[in-house]
Amino acid sequence: MAFDIRTRVVEVLVDDFGVPRDEISFTAPYDQLSFDSLMLLELALILKAESGVALSEKEIGDAATLDGFVDVFLQRSAA
Amino acid sequence: MRVVGRGVRGRGRTRAGDAFRQGVWSTHRRRSGTGALVSRGPETGRRRSSVIAGVGASVPSAMLTNNDLATWLETDDQWIRSRTGVVERRISAPERATSDLAVEAGAQALESAGTADVDVVVLATTTPDRPCPATAPEVAAALGLGTVPAFDLAAVCSGFLYALSVAAGYIESGRAHTVLVIAADTFSTILDRDDRATMSVFGDGAGAVLLRAGFSNEPGAVGHVDLGSDGSLRDLITVPAGGSRQRGLGVAAAEDDMYFRMEGRTVFMHAVERMTSSAQSVLARGGLTVADIDRFVGHQANIRILRAVALQLGLDVDRVVVNLDQVGNTAAASIPLALRDGHARGEIRAGERVLLSAFGGGATWGSTILIWPELPPQQGEAAVTKSDRGDSNGI
């Protein structure tokens, strides 16, 4: 798809949330990342506004890692 | 961390006031006839409507800063600012009740309108002076309004919009000519001082508007108020004890259940979804798009909710009116308090189309759109002055 989700996730985390790029890991559990409790929800809402793909709070939480987040996003966008 | 203009910049929207200067609002800016407060006669092609005739607000003088909170909570100024947008909030002194703030806000609204002619008083609050009786009659009496009907209305942070809808119904149906709508809360009385999540967000305050009978196409006319609720979400924002579900009589309630609790993450998602859809509903009903909105006055819950709603609506963030940095989330009071502060600071100007939207416990939500009327400059000091805040709205 034209919308490169992984690249966009990094852009949002770095540019909008100020997360240091070298602290972003797609495989680490959320709680090992320097994210606050709303950041992933806001990330999902930004992606929804840009792509139309909506993720629920539960789906985001269950994903556990950014890799999981991307997988759920791709599943939703393919549905 | 600076978070200006996240995701919604550069979409080519006109800045607030451009449409106004291009004459789009010319029909709305026309002063109504002689300037008399109340127009009772029928006019062809105009529907009877409620019209904002005055606005007022009050906050306690005592300030509680983020650094103050850090003296007993595990937090710091940056933690609170980045997660909530709140820098300081006002807290009532122990001897001051919700009615004290409500009376001050109501008096200021009457002064703003230049009248003490009130048919009904509606007070939106979650923190009445006591469980029984309602607080509104005491407020009406203190305002010298005699024996007018006066009652409380509970819809938590959506309370102002619910009260506005009820008041508009009184006026549109002809049962009242003027209704004083006050929204006041003293959340400091129900907060757990050891709960960082709620202590960092909420503050005390009151806001009020006087509605008068007028016509639907004049400045200040309140448009359709979209309201909704979802009782399945009742536990997201709650004080569990003290009501009939969990009585205190004979059995002491657990101390934790006597405090206000909120599930922040889940509330965030529901608030963004409902405020966005409700706002879109009133836009569609009015045949408008978000480009027609000059100012967005959302419930001042949290800067990140306001930012997310603006993003979902496609609204430029510089159109979002923000005062939560200085007063926190004042629950029902937040929208009229933000209206009053925005008016006092000149951020909301006559002729501008203003979108209001809120989400609160219940869950409840609501939205409406109005054209801001010409009102006299506020006599009192704004809760937050322009110079206090700099030029940024904090988003």
Side-chain angles (χ1 to χ4, degrees):
Chain A
M1 61 188 292
F3 187 83
D4 183 342
I5 176 63
R6 295 179 74 90
T7 300
R8 187 64 187 132
V9 164
V10 173
E11 284 175 355
V12 171
L13 292 175
V14 172
D15 298 340
D16 291 344
F17 298 144
V19 177
R21 190 177 295 269
D22 59 4
E23 289 184 13
I24 298 173
S25 164
F26 278 76
T27 56
Y30 292 148
D31 59 9
Q32 291 181 18
L33 303 172
S34 56
F35 297 172
D36 72 40
S37 62
L38 294 181
M39 212 175 274
L40 288 164
L41 306 182
E42 292 175 296
L43 169 64
L45 288 171
I46 290 170
L47 297 176
K48 177 188 171 193
E50 295 174 350
S51 68
V53 177
L55 303 185
S56 71
E57 180 194 0
K58 185 175 187 308
E59 287 173 324
I60 296 166
D62 289 349
T65 64
L66 287 178
D67 266 344
F69 183 101
V70 168
D71 286 345
V72 176
F73 182 91
L74 292 174
Q75 288 168 19
R76 282 279 167 273
S77 61
Chain B
M1 178 175 70
R2 184 166 170 80
V3 286
V4 173
R6 178 173 303 162
V8 292
R9 287 199 150 188
R11 293 192 177 188
R13 300 180 197 290
T14 57
R15 289 183 58 81
D18 287 351
F20 173 76
R21 285 187 289 275
Q22 290 161 12
V24 174
W25 312 134
S26 59
T27 57
H28 298 294
R29 293 201 76 206
R30 194 173 58 240
R31 294 297 297 263
S32 53
T34 62
L37 177 64
V38 172
S39 317
R40 290 178 186 268
E43 293 192 26
T44 304
R46 298 203 292 180
R47 182 171 49 81
R48 182 180 169 99
S49 178
S50 58
V51 176
I52 291 180
V55 62
S58 177
V59 292
S61 56
M63 189 178 292
L64 185 67
T65 67
N66 291 345
N67 288 329
D68 293 333
L69 289 174
T71 62
W72 78 84
L73 292 170
E74 189 178 336
T75 189
D76 57 52
D77 178 54
Q78 185 54 35
W79 189 96
I80 297 173
R81 284 183 193 232
S82 65
R83 284 163 177 76
T84 71
V86 181
V87 177
E88 58 202 24
R89 68 289 291 151
R90 306 299 181 95
I91 302 296
S92 286
E95 69 275 13
R96 301 258 298 165
T98 295
S99 63
D100 296 311
L101 291 170
V103 168
E104 290 168 1
Q108 196 177 82
L110 296 179
E111 182 181 354
S112 168
T115 183
D117 178 13
V118 174
D119 295 334
V120 180
V121 175
V122 184
L123 173 65
T125 185
T126 304
T127 51
D129 286 10
R130 33 187 161 178
C132 176
T135 303
E138 182 177 341
V139 171
L143 288 168
L145 301 178
T147 58
V148 299
F151 58 93
D152 291 3
L153 182 154
V156 200
C157 296
S158 307
F160 175 72
L161 288 170
Y162 268 73
L164 199 66
S165 178
V166 169
Y170 265 103
I171 289 172
E172 290 164 11
S173 66
R175 287 176 292 150
H177 207 68
T178 53
V179 181
L180 180 59
V181 175
I182 306 175
D185 268 312
T186 311
F187 258 50
S188 61
T189 61
I190 57 173
L191 295 179
D192 175 356
R193 73 190 304 276
D194 294 324
D195 181 8
R196 181 177 64 176
T198 53
M199 279 300 297
S200 62
V201 171
F202 287 92
D204 301 335
V209 296
L210 181 72
L211 296 183
R212 63 165 172 84
F215 296 96
S216 56
N217 62 347
E218 66 176 296
V222 176
H224 170 73
V225 185
D226 175 73
L227 298 176
S229 76
D230 182 353
S232 71
L233 303 178
R234 61 191 174 277
D235 293 330
L236 293 184
I237 298 170
T238 182
V239 179
S244 60
R245 176 65 65 193
Q246 191 177 146
R247 297 173 175 82
L249 198 62
V251 180
E255 184 176 346
D256 271 2
D257 288 345
M258 297 164 63
Y259 293 120
F260 177 84
R261 302 295 179 196
M262 183 169 68
E263 294 188 26
R265 281 171 51 89
T266 309
V267 167
F268 177 88
M269 292 297 273
H270 285 290
V272 173
E273 178 185 348
R274 292 303 185 179
M275 288 171 69
T276 300
S277 61
S278 180
Q280 288 169 333
S281 173
V282 291
L283 285 167
R285 186 181 174 106
L288 302 168
T289 72
V290 73
D292 298 313
I293 297 301
D294 296 303
R295 296 291 169 198
F296 173 53
V297 180
H299 167 47
Q300 306 283 303
N302 176 318
I303 195 70
R304 293 166 75 169
I305 289 179
L306 291 176
R307 192 166 60 209
V309 172
L311 171 73
Q312 297 301 308
L313 288 172
L315 184 75
D316 282 346
V317 291
D318 61 2
R319 299 185 185 194
V320 181
V321 174
V322 176
N323 73 344
L324 68 86
D325 51 336
Q326 304 293 304
V327 297
N329 177 345
T330 56
S334 84
I335 285 181
L337 185 51
L339 285 172
R340 190 270 195 184
D341 279 349
H343 170 64
R345 294 196 302 249
E347 289 182 14
I348 304 174
R349 291 168 292 185
E352 290 187 329
R353 182 173 276 126
V354 184
L355 169 66
L356 314 180
S357 187
F359 179 88
T364 56
W365 57 86
S367 298
T368 194
I369 295 170
L370 54 89
I371 303 292
W372 194 246
E374 293 208 30
L375 297 175
Q378 291 296 146
Q379 297 299 310
E381 186 181 342
V384 185
T385 63
K386 184 85 172 176
S387 59
D388 290 332
R389 309 175 64 252
D391 293 326
S392 167
N393 63 4
I395 290 189

